[in-house]
Amino acid sequence: MSGDPYLRLGVGYAGQRVPDPRVAAMIDAALGAAGSVVNVGAGTGSYEPAGRDVLAVEPSAVMIAQRRAGSAPVVRARAERLPLADGSFDAALAVLTVHHWSDAAAGLAELRRVSARQVVLTWDPAVTGRFWLVRDYVPELSRLEAGLATVATVVAELGRGGGRTTVTPVPVPADCTDGFMGAYWRRPERYLDPRVRASISAFATVGEDVAGEAMQRLGADLESGRWVERHGELLGLAALDLGYRLVVCERPVI
């Protein structure tokens, strides 16, 4: 388990990444009637559903240490090699994690192997690239995301099992409590806080030099009023589609 990226990224993660109840409701509905769920790349335990038999799988000791009391039991392992028997769970869940896996195809094949239903929260880079934060301040993210496993990869790999796959947009509420990259689309000043950026992997990907310069420009635009001039229409919205997608694949009943 050497080379843990969360030795830096994961510090304070649980405090910044508080599950949003509206996103949680969509994930819970996507799990359907599943009584048993394996949460792969489980991190600190966000979006693990209540009222179901849940097992968490997470490779990072930093993330495991931040799991709250009463969280599901956790096994330290990687998605690409789950220590689980074939078909041992009704559903497999993976929330904003596939892009971190060293071999996404292998990990998604493992989800298919151990469950009849797979639920994956990911994103569509074509939509995310139009987000003002990316387009106007950190365009480097679009280039870097081109090499990540996102919605197209998830759909293609889960579909190899012959299951029926659906893709549903997950709008981001204006007061989203989970501090992923798009959470502060209507609260741009939040991106200026280094503690907020520290729990967003996208900022770690581009590096602090790039992110710091971009946030200086954002801060200047907020102070001058230019941001409001360009994006003021967003202030009246309750939610926004930033490209987050919930992929569900279910094996056909034979």
Side-chain angles (χ1 to χ4, degrees):
M1 301 285 179
S2 61
D4 184 353
Y6 287 96
L7 287 172
R8 180 166 57 89
L9 176 61
V11 176
Y13 195 94
Q16 298 293 337
R17 301 296 296 270
V18 178
D20 186 272
R22 292 144 296 190
V23 176
M26 292 189 69
I27 291 172
D28 192 61
L31 289 168
S36 60
V37 178
V38 57
N39 184 20
V40 180
T44 61
S46 294
Y47 303 109
E48 289 175 357
R52 306 178 197 250
D53 183 13
V54 179
L55 175 68
V57 176
E58 170 57 42
S60 170
V62 173
M63 302 298 273
I64 290 172
Q66 295 179 73
R67 292 178 65 83
R68 296 174 177 85
S71 294
V74 60
V75 173
R76 193 176 180 198
R78 295 187 180 279
E80 297 86 348
R81 193 172 182 178
L82 297 176
L84 304 170
D86 293 359
S88 50
F89 286 83
D90 296 329
L93 175 65
V95 177
L96 295 176
T97 179
V98 174
H99 58 291
H100 291 303
W101 298 354
S102 59
D103 186 339
L108 292 164
E110 283 287 85
L111 298 193
R112 297 199 319 266
R113 180 182 67 80
V114 303
S115 68
R117 185 182 186 92
Q118 299 85 45
V119 177
V120 177
L121 180 59
T122 181
W123 75 92
D124 182 346
V127 180
T128 303
R130 298 194 293 269
F131 175 28
W132 62 258
L133 178 68
V134 177
R135 185 190 63 231
D136 298 344
Y137 297 97
V138 200
E140 294 84 357
L141 284 174
S142 287
R143 295 190 288 273
L144 290 168
E145 286 186 349
L148 297 181
T150 53
V151 66
T153 300
V154 172
V155 170
E157 295 300 330
L158 291 183
R160 292 182 188 278
R164 184 175 67 89
T165 302
T166 59
V167 180
T168 303
V170 179
V172 180
D175 58 349
C176 184
T177 62
D178 189 349
F180 48 73
M181 187 182 75
Y184 306 111
W185 59 268
R186 211 179 78 173
R187 295 167 289 169
E189 68 284 351
R190 296 287 288 139
Y191 292 113
L192 304 181
D193 187 339
R195 294 170 300 178
V196 168
R197 298 199 303 274
S199 293
I200 299 175
S201 63
F203 283 108
T205 301
V206 299
E208 187 54 35
D209 288 346
V210 171
E213 190 276 333
M215 293 306 97
Q216 285 182 357
R217 289 189 286 111
L218 173 58
D221 286 349
L222 288 171
E223 186 173 358
S224 69
R226 187 181 182 204
W227 187 91
V228 172
E229 290 175 3
R230 299 177 69 182
H231 307 294
E233 74 282 356
L234 298 178
L235 300 178
L237 301 180
L240 188 65
D241 180 8
L242 295 174
Y244 293 97
R245 298 293 182 260
L246 195 58
V247 181
V248 179
C249 186
E250 187 167 25
R251 185 183 308 152
V253 178
I254 300 175

